[in-house]
mmCIF file of all heavy atoms in Angstrom:
data_model
loop_
_atom_site.group_PDB
_atom_site.id
_atom_site.type_symbol
_atom_site.label_atom_id
_atom_site.label_comp_id
_atom_site.label_asym_id
_atom_site.label_seq_id
_atom_site.Cartn_x
_atom_site.Cartn_y
_atom_site.Cartn_z
ATOM 1 N N PHE A 83 1.518 6.619 11.165
ATOM 2 C CA PHE A 83 0.359 5.889 11.565
ATOM 3 C C PHE A 83 0.079 4.614 10.777
ATOM 4 O O PHE A 83 -0.348 3.590 11.309
ATOM 5 C CB PHE A 83 -0.928 6.819 11.417
ATOM 6 C CG PHE A 83 -2.155 6.256 11.953
ATOM 7 C CD1 PHE A 83 -2.635 6.430 13.254
ATOM 8 C CD2 PHE A 83 -3.028 5.577 11.089
ATOM 9 C CE1 PHE A 83 -3.810 5.844 13.700
ATOM 10 C CE2 PHE A 83 -4.248 5.074 11.489
ATOM 11 C CZ PHE A 83 -4.542 5.239 12.818
ATOM 12 N N ASP A 118 13.986 4.648 -6.898
ATOM 13 C CA ASP A 118 14.468 3.850 -8.020
ATOM 14 C C ASP A 118 15.293 2.657 -7.433
ATOM 15 O O ASP A 118 16.227 2.871 -6.672
ATOM 16 C CB ASP A 118 15.438 4.602 -8.960
ATOM 17 C CG ASP A 118 15.901 3.794 -10.111
ATOM 18 O OD1 ASP A 118 15.995 2.593 -10.018
ATOM 19 O OD2 ASP A 118 16.328 4.448 -11.068
ATOM 20 N N VAL A 119 14.819 1.477 -7.544
ATOM 21 C CA VAL A 119 15.422 0.281 -6.962
ATOM 22 C C VAL A 119 16.019 -0.702 -7.999
ATOM 23 O O VAL A 119 16.220 -1.934 -7.688
ATOM 24 C CB VAL A 119 14.403 -0.564 -6.135
ATOM 25 C CG1 VAL A 119 13.921 0.309 -4.893
ATOM 26 C CG2 VAL A 119 13.209 -0.885 -6.937
ATOM 27 N N ASN A 156 -6.184 15.946 -1.457
ATOM 28 C CA ASN A 156 -6.956 16.887 -0.791
ATOM 29 C C ASN A 156 -6.420 17.061 0.651
ATOM 30 O O ASN A 156 -6.221 16.077 1.402
ATOM 31 C CB ASN A 156 -8.431 16.373 -0.611
ATOM 32 C CG ASN A 156 -9.351 17.349 0.035
ATOM 33 O OD1 ASN A 156 -9.610 17.147 1.240
ATOM 34 N ND2 ASN A 156 -9.807 18.280 -0.660
ATOM 35 N N TYR A 191 -17.629 31.935 -0.932
ATOM 36 C CA TYR A 191 -16.312 31.282 -1.127
ATOM 37 C C TYR A 191 -15.422 32.169 -1.743
ATOM 38 O O TYR A 191 -15.809 33.021 -2.556
ATOM 39 C CB TYR A 191 -16.498 29.978 -1.931
ATOM 40 C CG TYR A 191 -17.208 28.889 -1.363
ATOM 41 C CD1 TYR A 191 -18.525 28.738 -1.461
ATOM 42 C CD2 TYR A 191 -16.479 27.953 -0.648
ATOM 43 C CE1 TYR A 191 -19.209 27.594 -0.938
ATOM 44 C CE2 TYR A 191 -17.146 26.877 -0.050
ATOM 45 C CZ TYR A 191 -18.534 26.732 -0.124
ATOM 46 O OH TYR A 191 -19.132 25.633 0.354
ATOM 47 N N GLU A 225 -5.076 32.846 -10.239
ATOM 48 C CA GLU A 225 -6.409 33.480 -10.451
ATOM 49 C C GLU A 225 -7.204 33.411 -9.156
ATOM 50 O O GLU A 225 -7.196 32.430 -8.491
ATOM 51 C CB GLU A 225 -7.143 32.896 -11.650
ATOM 52 C CG GLU A 225 -6.471 32.932 -12.951
ATOM 53 C CD GLU A 225 -7.253 32.276 -14.114
ATOM 54 O OE1 GLU A 225 -8.199 32.888 -14.537
ATOM 55 O OE2 GLU A 225 -6.840 31.105 -14.341
ATOM 56 N N THR A 233 -17.221 26.548 -7.689
ATOM 57 C CA THR A 233 -17.638 25.576 -6.684
ATOM 58 C C THR A 233 -19.081 25.104 -6.884
ATOM 59 O O THR A 233 -19.543 24.127 -6.197
ATOM 60 C CB THR A 233 -17.482 26.089 -5.201
ATOM 61 O OG1 THR A 233 -18.255 27.281 -5.129
ATOM 62 C CG2 THR A 233 -16.067 26.378 -4.946
ATOM 63 N N GLU A 244 -9.426 19.267 -16.132
ATOM 64 C CA GLU A 244 -9.198 18.503 -17.368
ATOM 65 C C GLU A 244 -8.217 19.149 -18.272
ATOM 66 O O GLU A 244 -7.233 18.493 -18.731
ATOM 67 C CB GLU A 244 -10.487 18.272 -18.066
ATOM 68 C CG GLU A 244 -10.376 17.328 -19.359
ATOM 69 C CD GLU A 244 -10.037 15.967 -19.002
ATOM 70 O OE1 GLU A 244 -10.365 15.503 -17.916
ATOM 71 O OE2 GLU A 244 -9.332 15.317 -19.851
ATOM 72 N N TYR A 261 0.947 -3.681 -0.488
ATOM 73 C CA TYR A 261 1.107 -3.810 0.971
ATOM 74 C C TYR A 261 0.467 -2.630 1.689
ATOM 75 O O TYR A 261 0.544 -1.511 1.277
ATOM 76 C CB TYR A 261 2.665 -3.767 1.455
ATOM 77 C CG TYR A 261 2.787 -3.697 2.916
ATOM 78 C CD1 TYR A 261 2.615 -4.809 3.756
ATOM 79 C CD2 TYR A 261 3.035 -2.468 3.529
ATOM 80 C CE1 TYR A 261 2.723 -4.797 5.073
ATOM 81 C CE2 TYR A 261 3.104 -2.331 4.951
ATOM 82 C CZ TYR A 261 2.975 -3.548 5.737
ATOM 83 O OH TYR A 261 3.018 -3.384 7.084
#
Side-chain angles (χ1 to χ4, degrees):
F83 183 88
D118 182 336
V119 294
N156 180 261
Y191 287 91
E225 297 179 81
T233 57
E244 183 65 29
Y261 170 80

